[in-house]
Every structure is written in C-alpha cells, then in structure tokens.
Amino acid sequence: MVQAAIDAIAWTGSLLILGWATKSASDPLGGARDLVIVCLVTWTAAVLAGAVCGLYSGRYQPATGAEMSAVLVAAGLAGLLLLGACRAGLPLVGEGQEVTCLGSLLGGLAMITLRTGAAAVRRRPRRPAPTAVKVIVFGAGSAGTQLVQRLIGQPGAQYQPVALLDDDPGKRRLRICGVRVRGGRDRLAEVAAQTGAAVMVIAIAGGCRDGQVIRELVRLAESLGLTAKVIPRVEELVAGPARIDDVRDPRITQLLGRAPVQLDLKAAADQFAGRRILVTGAGGSIGSELCRQLHRLGPASLVMLDRDESALHSVQLAIHGRALLDSDEVVLADITDASRMHEVFAQARPEIVFHTAAVKHLPLLERYPAEALKTNVTGTLNVLQAAAACGVRSFVNVSTDKAADPVSVLGTSKRLTERLTAHMAGQFPGVWVSVRFGNVLGSRGSLLGSLTAQIAAGGPVTVTHPQVARYFMTATEAVQLVLQAVAVGESGEVLVLDMGDQVRIVDLARRMAAAASRHVEIVFTGLRPGEKLTEDLLGNGEPDHRPRHPLVRQVPVPALHAGEVAGLGPLTDPDEVRAALARLAVAPEAEKPAAQHMVPGQPARAEATR
C-alpha cells in the first residue's frame, strides 16, 4: 500500500498547491476542519480510483505504457469523484468545477512524475564489477533492451555494455540506458576498436528462426577477434529458470545455419496410443530418447531391449524415476542371437518395432568388419525375421547417411539393412521402412563429445582434414523423423531428412576452442580409411522425392534377399568381409526400383549442399 499512500499524498499536495494559487493567502482553505475534509476526500478519491484501475495489485510493469494509460484513467475517475464531492457541498480547494478539473490534471501529472522518477532511480546505472568485460550488444529490440537494462542496473555485473548495434536504420539514433546504437553489423570492427570491447553479445531470443543470422554474426565476430556470446532462447526464458542476462557461448544448434525441423506429429501420435511397441537399442542415444517420447504417447506396452544392462537401468530411470529392472518392459538380449529374438518377440507380440541397435564407430568397424556383419547385418536380419513371424504392422530401421554411396564398412553394412528391410516389404504386409540420420548432436561417442573432451584436456584438438564436413541433426529431429516414418513412409522406402548445409568440422573446432579459457591447438590428422570428405544424403540414382513433407525425402530401396546375407556367416577374413559387404550394398541394375517419383528435368541425385 506504499504506492497508494504516495498517490494520495501526490493528489493532496497538488490540490493544496492549487488552493493556495486560487484562494486568498490569508484564508487559503477556510480553517483546519476544511483542511481535514479536503485531505480525507482527496485521499479516498485517489486511492479508490487507483484501486479500481489496478494500480496497486501488481498488474502493470513499472513505468510502462500500460501503467501510464491506467494512471490517466485513474486520474479521470478521481476527478469525477471529486466533482461529485464538490456538488455534494463538501469543502474543496478553489471555487468552481473548473478548479477541480485542473486539480485532477495536476494530480494525474504528479502520479506519472513520481512513477517515472522511481523507475529512473531503479534503473540508474550501477557500478559494474572491477573485472567486468566490455561488450557490444547486437540487437536493439526488446531482447537487447532488456539485456542492457539488466546489465546496467545490476551491481557487480560481469558484463558492461558500451555500445549497441542493429541493422535496422530506424534505430540508429536510439539510446537505451545511455548506451547508443552506433550502426549496423558493418561497423562492428570500428566500434570494437573505439570502445575496446572484446565480446559481442547477440541479443536475439527468437530461437529457431534466427539460426542463420546468429551463425553469420558469430563468424563475423570471430573474424575480427571478438568472442561471440548469445542470450537464452525464448523457449528457455519461458519454460525454465534462464534469465535474459544469462549470457553464454552459442550452442551448436544455433550454428547449424537452419531452423530446427518441426514435423507434424499429431497424426503420427495416433499411431502409437494403445499399441504394443518394441525398441531395440533402447539404451542408446536415439533409442533412449525415442523411448521417452513414446512413453508420453500412451502405448499399451513399451518393451525396451538392449544388451547393455547399465543402459537399460538409465533409460528406465529417466522414464519412470525408478529403475528396479524387475518388469517385462526391460529386456536384456543380444540381437545377434536369432533364437532369443524370436523368443522375445513371441512373448511381447509387438505391433510396432523401432530398430536402433547397431555398432556405429567407423574406424573400429574398418578394423573389425566381421563385427559390422554380425551386429548390423545379421542382427538386423534376426530382428526383421522375428518381427515378421509375430505379424508386426510397422517396422522402422534406423540407418545412416553413410549408407548413401557407401565407401566404409559402416556405410555398406547399414545399406544392407536398408535393402533387407525393403525385401521384407515385398514379402509381408504392413509398413517396412528405414530412416537415414546425419550426426546426432549429443549422442554417445559423437564428434562434439570428442571435441569437448579434447578442449577440456587442454588440446590438441584433432580434425582429420581442413575441408571435411558433415550433416548434423538434433536428437529431437531424429526422433521426430523416426516417429513420422510410421505415419508417412511407404513400405520399402528410406526416409531422409533435409538437414540443410553441411558444417565444416574445423569451423566447429575453432569455435569451441575460441570459447576455451586458454589457447588450444588444432591438428589435422588426415582422413582415415572409409571416411569421405563430405557426406551424401542420397546415393547415385536416388530421386529427391518429397510427396508428404517438404523436408522429408522418400526414396525407394532395392530389395536384398535374406538368403544372400545368410551365406556371409562363415566369413572371418577382414578383406573378404569388406568385399562381400561392398558387393551386396550395390544392387544390380535390373533390381533397382524405377525412379517413378522423378519429375522431368529433375536430377537423379541431390548434391551434398542441398
């Protein structure tokens, strides 16, 4: 009620001043009794009007346009109340209704003045920390304004805004808390030299739509020797404890140069509610995230299969908050054991199967190709045959972009899984599809994890080649694609997400090294056996066909009979295994599906930069 008391005093003071100006100096109010009545009537009218307009209920941010509008309405309402009191014969200052109206204007002006002054005091510049870093804030919109106000008004702030930049010409004369907008991004070098700033904070909280802008600004800042920082995204500010002044390094998802893909999962969600679902490799990065998402969709049962007991413990704990490992939903089994697979499937009777189990580390599989044959190829065939035996209605095989024109053991083995899945599509009812992934951010054993560990150890950071580039996708995008495959995939196809441009690994390494507290050396080690300089999303002759979603390619896959794979079991010599996998990964021309989806003039293969 402090603000109500201040408003009452402001109104009373305004009316008393007006009374001294309009009545004789010898008898300004007509006595002490009249003075008491004036104060009581004025206080009642001012506080009642303010309460009706919500000025004391915390409804408005201080000194905002909304609060000022409410103050004006309250002033008008208080004036009407005072006019009513005047007509009722109560003694007020001055003579006539004109004086009362003028007093109302003065009262409203006093309320606005006091509020604006209080806000100015609260937002006055505070002394930053002695070690505060001078920063240039890019973005003079709402996010930039809030950031500058927060940093300027925070005692001991670690960052000191010294300049603003914005590409909008209409903001060139703008000042925020005394910090001036000095131009657009083209003046970054000049402003940095003038102010001595070492950091540029990109105050864009729009999130996914501004990924390309953030990427460009980060590159510009780094080219000038500045450290680039960002503020939390809107989603984080709304959903979590993040604050506008939580300045941090750009996340990799903000540097992909594209917006995270959002697929419509409403139709797909109906496919899973009340269904019996089984996930192989449930303890892996994709499998565990997939299980978490599926659990929210209300399946009748969700069986999580993995050969890693610790991984099963972790995923059950993440889903249920407990991990007793004593229920039928967790199954410890190895997909290379065919009889065990048939046993598990016969007991679970799944209607939908997501097959994510695989060995995936390219250098290891180049050295031990028989492991890729045993797990990726034979293991997948075991799962496919067990699924067919129990009559599944949907089967989704998780593949990799390395299966497009494969040159590695990983790529050829996963291409065989695509072809085996397509073979089942021609033999059994239901939907049998594959999905191809790029590098999934944050997955176990991922590139980013290796770079982070090397930087934390002080380097050196190892990169195979200056021009090597890869496609990246988030775990959320990967799971969305897997779920979408059930709804839109045609049996015998592989679904490929449009992941934007490939990202050079050396750019990521330099960016991450620049954020480290000390200099980290980058060493080029050379491409390893089986590695490509850049990856392909589509193989030679595969059409870029997107009938259901503009960001999801649906590509027919030539079938591979299971009998051809069964004959590879006795192979143990690494060279023989590599040769066999490479031979079966390429379908004879007669077996390749017709490019019935291609349109006239469309190239048969999507380039790597698409």
Side-chain angles (χ1 to χ4, degrees):
M1 296 302 292
V2 174
Q3 187 63 60
I6 292 174
D7 287 346
I9 293 172
W11 270 86
T12 304
S14 299
L15 290 178
L16 289 176
I17 291 173
L18 187 63
W20 279 95
T22 57
K23 296 180 74 71
S24 66
S26 60
D27 187 21
L29 288 173
R33 176 176 174 276
D34 289 346
L35 176 61
V36 172
I37 293 176
V38 167
C39 289
L40 290 176
V41 171
T42 305
W43 290 352
T44 301
V47 174
L48 180 62
V52 170
C53 294
L55 293 179
Y56 315 125
S57 60
R59 184 184 301 177
Y60 305 104
Q61 288 287 336
T64 60
E67 188 188 42
M68 295 302 105
S69 298
V71 167
L72 292 176
V73 173
L77 180 58
L80 292 176
L81 292 175
L82 291 176
L83 280 176
C86 183
R87 290 182 176 180
L90 294 176
L92 294 176
V93 298
E95 299 177 356
Q97 298 179 1
E98 295 81 2
V99 175
T100 303
C101 292
L102 183 58
S104 300
L105 292 176
L106 289 177
L109 180 61
M111 292 172 69
I112 292 176
T113 302
L114 290 174
R115 280 171 165 76
T116 304
V121 170
R122 285 193 297 267
R123 295 173 181 173
R124 72 188 185 279
R126 307 295 178 90
R127 185 183 298 276
T131 58
V133 177
K134 293 182 178 180
V135 300
I136 298 170
V137 176
F138 185 92
S142 59
T145 299
Q146 293 179 55
L147 175 62
V148 172
Q149 290 174 345
R150 181 85 178 187
L151 293 177
I152 289 290
Q154 182 180 12
Q158 298 301 311
Y159 295 97
Q160 179 185 2
V162 293
L164 279 157
L165 295 177
D166 199 291
D167 288 334
D168 183 359
K171 297 178 180 177
R172 295 298 157 82
R173 297 183 180 275
L174 181 65
R175 287 179 180 267
I176 300 174
C177 296
V179 182
R180 183 164 59 92
V181 176
R182 301 197 178 197
R185 71 179 71 181
D186 55 314
R187 295 200 61 203
L188 178 58
E190 178 185 349
V191 172
Q194 292 175 350
T195 60
V199 174
M200 180 177 74
V201 179
I202 304 170
I204 299 176
C208 61
R209 295 176 298 175
D210 300 297
Q212 182 63 38
V213 175
I214 292 176
R215 185 180 181 184
E216 293 172 356
L217 291 171
V218 168
R219 285 180 174 175
L220 176 60
E222 291 176 348
S223 69
L224 298 173
L226 301 177
T227 300
K229 301 284 185 179
V230 297
I231 61 174
R233 296 180 296 119
V234 168
E235 294 87 343
E236 298 173 272
L237 294 172
V238 172
R243 301 180 308 177
I244 193 71
D245 58 331
D246 287 339
V247 176
R248 63 193 181 200
D249 297 325
R251 292 181 176 173
I252 181 60
T253 51
Q254 295 173 305
L255 302 174
L256 293 181
R258 62 175 175 84
V261 177
Q262 298 292 332
L263 302 178
D264 182 11
L265 295 181
K266 291 183 179 179
D270 296 336
Q271 303 278 341
F272 309 116
R275 300 291 183 181
R276 299 184 302 275
I277 302 174
L278 185 146
V279 179
T280 71
S285 303
I286 296 300
S288 59
E289 179 63 23
L290 182 59
C291 289
R292 283 190 284 268
Q293 298 296 332
L294 286 169
H295 175 71
R296 297 171 184 161
L297 299 179
S301 64
L302 175 60
V303 177
M304 299 174 286
L305 184 151
D306 205 294
R307 67 180 180 184
D308 185 341
E309 56 185 336
S310 297
L312 286 175
H313 179 276
S314 297
V315 68
Q316 189 180 50
L317 182 64
I319 291 176
H320 298 295
R322 60 174 181 81
L324 301 179
L325 300 177
D326 59 351
S327 64
D328 292 336
E329 71 174 358
V330 288
V331 175
L332 185 65
D334 193 325
I335 64 171
T336 62
D337 187 339
S339 61
R340 176 71 171 131
M341 286 299 99
H342 281 276
E343 176 188 343
V344 170
F345 275 72
Q347 179 179 355
R349 306 297 299 176
E351 299 171 273
I352 302 173
V353 174
F354 295 99
H355 176 48
T356 74
V359 287
K360 63 179 183 179
H361 285 282
L362 187 149
L364 277 177
L365 298 183
E366 288 298 315
R367 295 183 62 193
Y368 308 108
E371 295 301 314
L373 172 61
K374 181 171 64 176
T375 300
N376 291 355
V377 181
T378 305
T380 296
L381 180 58
N382 293 339
V383 175
L384 285 166
Q385 291 176 335
C390 73
V392 300
R393 59 193 298 269
S394 297
F395 187 101
V396 180
N397 167 54
V398 173
S399 185
T400 170
D401 57 3
K402 291 175 175 59
D405 287 342
V407 299
S408 63
V409 171
L410 172 59
T412 54
S413 65
K414 296 303 284 184
R415 178 57 173 171
L416 263 60
T417 68
E418 294 179 0
R419 296 192 62 195
L420 288 170
T421 305
H423 170 71
M424 304 302 284
Q427 302 296 315
F428 297 94
V431 176
W432 303 77
V433 297
S434 298
V435 294
R436 281 184 196 158
F437 287 169
N439 289 270
V440 178
L441 300 173
S443 61
R444 288 193 301 176
S446 67
L447 167 70
L448 291 182
S450 300
L451 293 178
T452 301
Q454 290 178 331
I455 292 171
V461 172
T462 56
V463 179
T464 56
H465 191 280
Q467 298 302 320
V468 69
R470 294 291 181 263
Y471 290 104
F472 287 94
M473 66 192 309
T474 66
T476 300
E477 290 175 325
V479 170
Q480 285 184 7
L481 180 61
V482 172
L483 298 179
Q484 191 82 358
V486 175
V488 306
E490 296 289 340
S491 202
E493 290 182 334
V494 59
L495 274 63
V496 187
L497 184 69
D498 188 334
M499 291 175 281
D501 295 336
Q502 298 192 68
V503 179
R504 288 202 314 165
I505 305 305
V506 69
D507 290 341
L508 287 181
R510 285 172 177 161
R511 193 165 293 127
M512 295 173 69
S517 58
R518 54 182 179 269
H519 175 71
V520 179
E521 181 184 7
I522 297 177
V523 177
F524 296 104
T525 60
L527 290 174
R528 296 168 293 186
E531 286 189 323
K532 295 180 180 179
L533 199 60
T534 59
E535 297 291 356
D536 301 301
L537 293 179
L538 300 178
N540 187 28
E542 291 184 333
D544 186 355
H545 179 56
R546 314 183 189 201
R548 302 289 186 87
H549 194 285
L551 295 177
V552 179
R553 302 175 174 96
Q554 297 180 226
V555 183
V557 179
L560 176 66
H561 195 280
E564 297 192 56
V565 171
L568 302 181
L571 295 179
T572 56
D573 181 74
D575 291 333
E576 292 181 358
V577 175
R578 292 189 193 95
L581 293 176
R583 174 176 56 84
L584 293 179
V586 180
E589 290 295 329
E591 297 180 9
K592 289 184 179 180
Q596 69 270 23
H597 300 313
M598 293 180 63
V599 297
Q602 182 185 45
R605 175 177 175 176
E607 298 300 329
T609 56
R610 294 192 66 149

